[in-house]
Amino acid sequence: MKKILAFGDSNTWGLIPGTSPFKRYPWGVRWTSILDGKSDEIRVIEEGLCGRTTVFEDELRAGRKGVATLPIILESQTPLDYAIIMLGTNDCKSVYNVSAHTIGKGIERCLDIVQKYLPVEKILLISPIDLGEDVWRPEKDPEFGTESVATSKKLKEVYRTIADRRGVNFLAASDYAKSSEIDNEHLDDYSHRIFADAVWQKLTETVLMANAA
């Protein structure tokens, strides 16, 4: 049995778009659980948290700084066979006011931590889905601004460059899935299925095959 850690934010947790208070898609609908069901030989450890960032502290919600909690989770779950990291959406919030380049620096700090536990060929870096054009509207998520949308769309190439340089595996979620029209931020149930298929394909082509070799 191979243990795969999935470390991310609300789109890893499985937040149902437009729910307030937040509600979570059930097991069998979330992409992490769909991935888990692809093979009896893997077990996916879900470590998604709403509002989680790479390196930024949320002054309104404690414990959202990824680099602060990632070492604890890795130590708790070790030994691991693989790790999937998908963060960056919340870093685009207006309060942080940072560029895609700076968010990339944050994801590299996360990778530095993961690489203490796993070799690069057993790490999959995923750039998140793009924010929708109207995500900033009051009825959706005003923690974002119009500039947040543009920043989110730049993460794919920033992360790809990082992955190429460091030798980790890479997947762009935005190539397969998009945010729901309801909130312009989260995956709907259809996108969870499509995204799970894409992650599984990537794992079988790279991470799992590398282990077999």
Side-chain angles (χ1 to χ4, degrees):
M1 180 73 70
K2 305 298 183 183
K3 290 172 58 180
I4 302 175
L5 174 70
F7 185 75
D9 52 31
S10 54
N11 273 319
T12 298
W13 185 74
L15 189 149
I16 300 176
T19 55
S20 183
F22 298 152
K23 293 182 180 179
R24 188 184 194 186
Y25 281 119
W27 183 264
V29 178
R30 303 190 295 269
W31 73 264
T32 44
S33 65
I34 297 171
L35 181 64
D36 183 270
K38 294 289 186 181
S39 171
D40 293 336
E41 297 302 315
I42 67 171
R43 180 163 67 89
V44 177
I45 301 165
E46 299 179 299
E47 278 294 347
L49 179 67
C50 298
R52 179 177 277 152
T53 68
T54 59
V55 298
F56 301 107
E57 197 72 73
D58 188 328
E59 297 299 330
L60 300 178
R61 292 180 291 180
R64 264 57 185 182
K65 186 176 179 179
V67 292
T69 55
L70 183 55
I72 300 168
I73 290 169
L74 286 165
E75 184 173 349
S76 172
Q77 296 295 341
T78 198
L80 289 165
D81 295 285
Y82 312 103
I84 300 169
I85 307 295
M86 183 171 69
L87 287 173
T89 296
N90 291 300
D91 300 55
C92 296
K93 289 179 178 179
S94 298
V95 66
Y96 303 125
N97 190 31
V98 295
S99 66
H101 174 77
T102 299
I103 296 171
K105 293 292 186 182
I107 205 70
E108 289 213 67
R109 286 194 58 195
C110 292
L111 290 172
D112 287 342
I113 295 168
V114 179
Q115 285 180 230
K116 294 178 181 179
Y117 290 81
L118 291 168
V120 292
E121 65 270 17
K122 294 187 177 182
I123 301 170
L124 176 58
L125 174 63
I126 302 180
S127 60
I129 58 172
D130 298 339
L131 291 168
E133 297 295 332
D134 293 329
V135 66
W136 52 270
R137 293 189 180 277
E139 67 272 18
K140 295 188 177 182
D141 194 341
E143 290 189 41
F144 295 102
T146 55
E147 74 288 343
S148 303
V149 178
T151 300
S152 76
K153 292 180 178 180
K154 296 176 182 177
L155 293 179
K156 173 181 172 179
E157 291 309 317
V158 169
Y159 283 28
R160 186 197 303 277
T161 299
I162 291 169
D164 288 345
R165 173 164 44 80
R166 299 180 71 118
V168 302
N169 298 292
F170 173 74
L171 180 73
S174 58
D175 284 349
Y176 304 92
K178 63 180 182 178
S179 60
S180 167
E181 293 294 335
I182 295 173
D183 67 4
N184 289 155
E185 184 180 355
H186 295 102
L187 299 167
D188 61 17
D189 54 352
Y190 174 76
S191 286
H192 272 275
R193 294 196 302 274
I194 296 300
F195 182 54
D197 288 345
V199 174
W200 174 244
Q201 183 66 27
K202 188 68 177 181
L203 288 175
T204 55
E205 289 177 354
T206 57
V207 182
L208 298 178
M209 291 303 294
N211 182 69

